[in-house]
Amino acid sequence: MKSTMNTPSITAAPQAQEIRDVERTSCCIVGGGPAGAMLGLLFARRGISVTLLEMHKDFDREFRGDTIHPSTLEVLDQIGLAAPLHEMPHSKISGPTLQFRDGPFRPFDLGRLKTPFPYILMVPQSRFLEFITKEAAKYPGFHLVMRANVRKLVEENGLVRGVQYLGPDGWHELLASLTVGADGRFSQLRQLAGFEPVKTSPPMDVLWFRLPRLPQDPQVPSGFLGGIGRGRLLIVLDRGDYWQSGLVFPKGHYQELHAQGIAAVRQTIAEIEPRLTKHADSLTDWHQLSLLSVESSICTRWHKPGLLLIGDAAHVMSPVGGVGINYAIQDAVVAANILSARLKAGEVTDSDLAQVQRQRERPVRTIQRMQTFMQNNLIAKALAAKGAVRIPWILRALLRIPVVRDLPAKFIAFGPRRVRLHES
Ligand SMILES: Cc1cc2nc3c(=O)[nH]c(=O)nc-3n(C[C@H](O)[C@H](O)[C@H](O)COP(=O)(O)OP(=O)(O)OC[C@H]3O[C@@H](n4cnc5c(N)ncnc54)[C@H](O)[C@@H]3O)c2cc1C
C-alpha cells in the first residue's frame, strides 16, 4: 500500500557558510504545480524575471488530477496556447454519468455551456506542466530549477526577501522582490511563515488505482463512470489507455476495508459498475492502490510583506468536483493581473498582495462550501446507506428545469466568477 498522506520531511536549515551562491530575481516562485508553473509563464511573458523552484527532478507524480477546465482553456486561448495544448494526446469529459438504483444520473453537463471549450480537457498533469514550463522557457526572464527543495525563508525586519533551498550540490540562496508559495497542500512556506490553515470539510478517504482498458470496453461519451453502493462511491475516469479509478469511503474505514481483503474491493467495483467486473480482476495486491486522505482548508491570511501564498498552499481543495487545478490557476491569473505592473516597477506592497487574497478568497470559500455541502449531504449520506442508493426525486426534477440545470455546470467550469487575463 502506497500512502500519499505524509508531509515532506524537514531538514535543518543551512549555516551561513554552507550557502554556495546567492542569486537575485524579481519573483521567486516555490512549487512547480499548476499554480506556480502558470504564474511563472504569465510573469515571464510580461518581461518579468522569474525563477521557479521545484523540489522534484521531473513533473511525474502520483495522480492528483488531470482536469483542465473551460476557464483555464479560455485563459490559455487568450495567450494563444489552447490550440497547441489540444494537439497533445487528450480526452474530453462533458460530465459524469453515475449509476443509481433508479437509473443513470448526470449531475452536470458542460456540453450546453456557451464557451468555445464546453468540456474538461484531460491531459496528464505531468505533460501539462511540461507544456506550460516549456512555453515559459521561451521568455529570457524565466528560469526553472528542478531538485530545488526550499527549506528556509530569508527575512529582514519582517520582510520576506527570498528563500534558501537545497539542491543536489548543496545550499543556495535566491533573493527576490516577491516570493510566491505555490508549494501545495503540505506547503513548507505556509509553515515557515506561520500561517495556520483552518479545516473547511471533514476528511474522507480515497483509494486510487488504475483499471486496464479492454478491447470490448464501452464507449463513454461523457468520459466518466461511477456510482454508489456498499457504503462506497466509485469514480472512474476515461484516460484513453486505462481507467483512472477512485473508491471513496468515510474516514477511518480503511482498516475495515483492508481486513475484508482485496477481493472485497473487486466485488464492490463489480456491484457498482458491472461493466468493470473483468477489469477489477486485475487488482490482486494492495500495492496497486494508493490511500489518500481528502480534506479541504483555507488560511485566514495568504500574505505577509514580500510573500504571497496561492493555490493549495493557501487553500487545500478537496477533489470533490475536480476543481483544485482550476482554482490554483485562477489564483495565478489574478496574481498576474494585479502584480505584474507593480513587480516591473519594483513596488509590490503588502496591500497589493492583500488585493490578490481579497479577489480570490470569496470564490474559494464559496466552492469549498459547495464541496462540503456535497460531501456532507450527498456523499456522506449515500455512503452511510449500505444498500443501493436512489437519487432524491426533487434533485432529478430540479435538474430538468432549463435555468437550474446548467448552474452546476457553470460553477464547475468557471466558479462563481469568470477569471480573465488582463492584457496591459
Ligand atoms: C488524489 C487527488 C486527486 C485530485 N484530483 C483532482 C482533479 O481531478 N481535478 C482537480 O482540479 N484537482 C484535483 N485535485 C486537487 C489538485 O491536485 C490541487 O488542487 C492542485 O494540484 C493544486 O495545485 P498547486 O499548484 O497549488 O499545488 P500542487 O499541484 O500540489 O503543486 C505544488 C508543487 O510544489 C512542489 N513543492 C512542494 N514543496 C516544495 C518545496 N519545499 N520546495 C520546492 N517545491 C516544492 C511540489 O513538488 C509540487 O510540484 C486532486 C487532489 C488529490 C490529492
Side-chain angles (χ1 to χ4, degrees), residues 1 5 203-207 229-233 247-261 264-265 268 286 291-293 379-386:
M1 161 68 47
M5 288 190 289
M204 293 184 303
D205 278 339
V206 186
L207 273 178
R230 285 182 152 229
R232 324 246 180 266
L233 164 67
L247 208 53
V248 183
F249 49 94
K251 181 85 187 155
H253 284 223
Y254 174 67
Q255 294 308 334
E256 180 195 324
L257 184 73
H258 196 269
Q260 290 167 353
V265 174
T268 306
W286 288 102
L291 176 67
L292 183 97
S293 177
I379 300 175
K381 281 190 186 149
L383 295 184
K386 292 287 176 198

Side-chain angles (χ1 to χ4, degrees), residues 31 33-35 54-56 61 64-65 67 148 150 208 292 312 322 324-325:
E54 166 55 47
M55 73 178 186
H56 287 106
R61 59 195 62 213
R64 277 181 310 173
T67 52
V150 174
W208 287 108
L292 183 97
D312 270 21
I325 295 169

Side-chain angles (χ1 to χ4, degrees), residues 87-297:
E87 283 164 19
M88 297 173 69
H90 65 262
S91 50
K92 290 176 183 170
I93 289 180
S94 55
T97 305
L98 302 172
Q99 297 303 326
F100 288 88
R101 189 177 182 172
D102 48 343
F105 175 63
R106 294 202 82 185
F108 63 89
D109 180 3
L110 301 179
R112 284 191 296 259
L113 294 183
K114 286 198 180 89
T115 164
F117 311 103
Y119 46 80
I120 294 170
L121 193 77
M122 300 291 289
V123 175
Q125 198 181 116
S126 52
R127 299 289 92 77
F128 176 67
L129 295 174
E130 281 162 12
F131 171 80
I132 295 293
T133 49
K134 229 166 141 182
E135 287 299 324
K138 292 180 180 166
Y139 299 92
F142 180 80
H143 298 282
L144 171 63
V145 187
M146 302 301 282
R147 296 210 279 173
N149 193 339
V150 174
R151 289 284 165 228
K152 193 171 184 279
L153 287 176
V154 179
E155 286 188 89
E156 226 175 72
N157 303 324
L159 172 69
V160 174
R161 301 215 30 238
V163 297
Q164 290 174 345
Y165 66 90
L166 187 60
D169 57 348
W171 288 97
H172 302 261
E173 186 165 289
L174 180 63
L175 299 177
S177 314
L178 173 66
T179 299
V180 177
D183 50 342
R185 55 181 47 216
F186 303 120
S187 173
Q188 181 78 35
L189 264 65
R190 180 177 66 212
Q191 199 180 323
L192 291 168
F195 297 148
E196 277 295 323
V198 179
K199 285 197 179 15
T200 52
S201 74
M204 293 184 303
D205 278 339
V206 186
L207 273 178
W208 287 108
F209 49 91
R210 287 181 179 202
L211 294 176
R213 187 99 213 179
L214 299 179
Q216 70 276 22
D217 271 350
Q219 286 304 313
V220 182
S222 67
F224 198 120
L225 290 171
I228 293 177
R230 285 182 152 229
R232 324 246 180 266
L233 164 67
L234 177 71
I235 298 162
V236 182
L237 302 171
D238 183 355
R239 300 313 324 277
D241 48 354
Y242 66 94
W243 298 96
Q244 177 69 53
S245 313
L247 208 53
V248 183
F249 49 94
K251 181 85 187 155
H253 284 223
Y254 174 67
Q255 294 308 334
E256 180 195 324
L257 184 73
H258 196 269
Q260 290 167 353
I262 193 122
V265 174
R266 290 198 295 267
Q267 211 176 335
T268 306
I269 296 169
E271 274 179 28
I272 298 176
E273 183 43 271
R275 288 177 292 179
L276 296 176
T277 306
K278 270 210 175 110
H279 309 65
D281 287 344
S282 67
L283 294 178
T284 54
D285 191 297
W286 288 102
H287 285 106
Q288 293 167 269
L289 298 94
S290 298
L291 176 67
L292 183 97
S293 177
V294 169
E295 57 189 32
S296 65
S297 62

Side-chain angles (χ1 to χ4, degrees), residues 317-334:
M317 303 298 277
S318 110
V320 176
V323 293
I325 295 169
N326 203 31
Y327 273 65
I329 289 177
Q330 290 187 347
D331 286 359
V333 173
V334 167

